Amino acid sequence: DAGITQSPRHKVTETGTPVTLRCHQTENHRYMYWYRQDPGHGLRLIHYSYGVKDTDKGEVSDGYSVSRSKTEDFLLTLESATSSQTSVYFCAISSPRSGEGDTQYFGPGTRLTVL
Amino acid sequence: GEDVEQSLFLSVREGDSSVINCTYTDSSSTYLYWYKQEPGAGLQLLTYIFSNMDMKQDQRLTVLLNKKDKHLSLRIADTQTGDSAIYFCGHSGGGADGLTFGKGTHLIIQP
């Protein structure tokens, strides 16, 4: 347990509405990540952050934005949700250390359904 | 082809050894990982191996890395019903810009 929580854990929303998912960590990890998990695709990186206000795009960033105004919180926003964004979203953290590389630890996930 | 490939399913009898295989294409991979996901849960780190190692053992788990063939395997000795899960192979270049995962292998345990 790396002290990661995600909220909400489940959400159902309608197409076109904005949605924000929150990832919160309590152990001052520098790096935070958002992935989505879909059948047949495994996990794919959406966005990541390497510090407060420092973020970058991942493999599947279209339609998503992120913000990190505090070390402990990393927010994922769907500006206008679409059915293709129905997925399970995982947050992860890492604190690269010598000998351990960038080993990541995952939160419990948020199941999002867009109708 | 895919960056990281794994078989989708593996079925083994309880008490036997399970061997889950993974191949990857990125020769710059620095660290390689195995994660376990139980139903409705997040990914749990099982083990990792640095690219200059050939083998790593941790209790019932043995990881073998053939860097020349870009092949990674996870062996679970004495497989138990609690090992039933999806196992993900992943790798990174060590740059903290995220991991690349395979699609996962569903390990099914037969009594």
Side-chain angles (χ1 to χ4, degrees):
Chain A
D1 183 358
I4 308 166
T5 57
Q6 293 185 233
S7 59
R9 294 293 315 279
H10 301 270
K11 185 170 182 67
V12 180
T13 191
E14 294 190 350
T15 298
T17 60
V19 176
T20 295
L21 308 183
R22 179 182 184 233
C23 178
H24 179 77
Q25 54 123 337
T26 58
E27 298 182 2
N28 208 35
H29 296 287
R30 178 181 173 188
Y31 293 88
M32 299 184 75
Y33 306 83
W34 278 107
Y35 293 86
R36 60 178 288 175
Q37 183 179 25
D38 305 289
H41 290 280
L43 276 88
R44 293 178 292 174
L45 182 66
I46 305 171
H47 281 280
Y48 64 100
S49 168
Y50 43 95
V52 172
K53 296 198 171 123
D54 289 324
T55 65
D56 208 345
K57 295 178 180 179
E59 177 190 356
V60 290
S61 59
D62 287 349
Y64 302 94
S65 62
V66 290
S67 66
R68 191 163 178 207
S69 58
K70 299 185 288 185
T71 298
E72 57 266 35
D73 288 324
F74 191 31
L75 304 181
L76 176 71
T77 298
L78 291 65
E79 301 290 347
S80 177
T82 67
S83 59
S84 65
Q85 294 175 310
T86 292
S87 187
V88 181
Y89 291 86
F90 288 100
C91 174
I93 58 89
S94 74
S95 291
R97 284 188 280 269
S98 177
E100 291 188 6
D102 50 350
T103 299
Q104 295 187 10
Y105 298 90
F106 285 79
T110 294
R111 183 172 295 276
L112 176 67
T113 302
V114 183
L115 302 176
Chain B
E2 297 290 335
D3 188 30
V4 181
E5 292 195 358
Q6 303 177 238
S7 298
L8 288 183
F9 296 95
L10 175 66
S11 180
V12 298
R13 299 178 80 90
E14 189 175 359
D16 287 352
S17 292
S18 305
V19 180
I20 303 171
N21 294 300
C22 168
T23 58
Y24 59 97
T25 58
D26 188 351
S27 58
S28 68
S29 296
T30 307
Y31 287 88
L32 298 112
Y33 302 88
W34 284 105
Y35 285 84
K36 176 184 180 182
Q37 185 181 35
E38 296 179 358
L43 274 71
Q44 171 195 352
L45 177 69
L46 283 179
T47 187
Y48 63 89
I49 188 167
F50 187 49
S51 59
N52 68 353
M53 298 169 65
D54 298 325
M55 186 182 84
K56 182 178 182 180
Q57 188 153 3
D58 183 2
Q59 299 182 341
R60 291 193 298 124
L61 305 180
T62 302
V63 178
L64 295 178
L65 174 61
N66 181 328
K67 195 173 178 183
K68 173 177 170 288
D69 293 339
K70 300 189 185 71
H71 182 268
L72 182 74
S73 67
L74 173 69
R75 178 177 180 268
I76 306 172
D78 187 24
T79 307
Q80 303 298 309
T81 55
D83 295 323
S84 179
I86 304 175
Y87 291 81
F88 289 93
C89 168
H91 72 85
S92 77
D97 54 356
L99 304 185
T100 301
F101 290 96
K103 294 180 181 178
T105 298
H106 294 245
L107 179 61
I108 301 162
I109 314 301
Q110 298 176 359

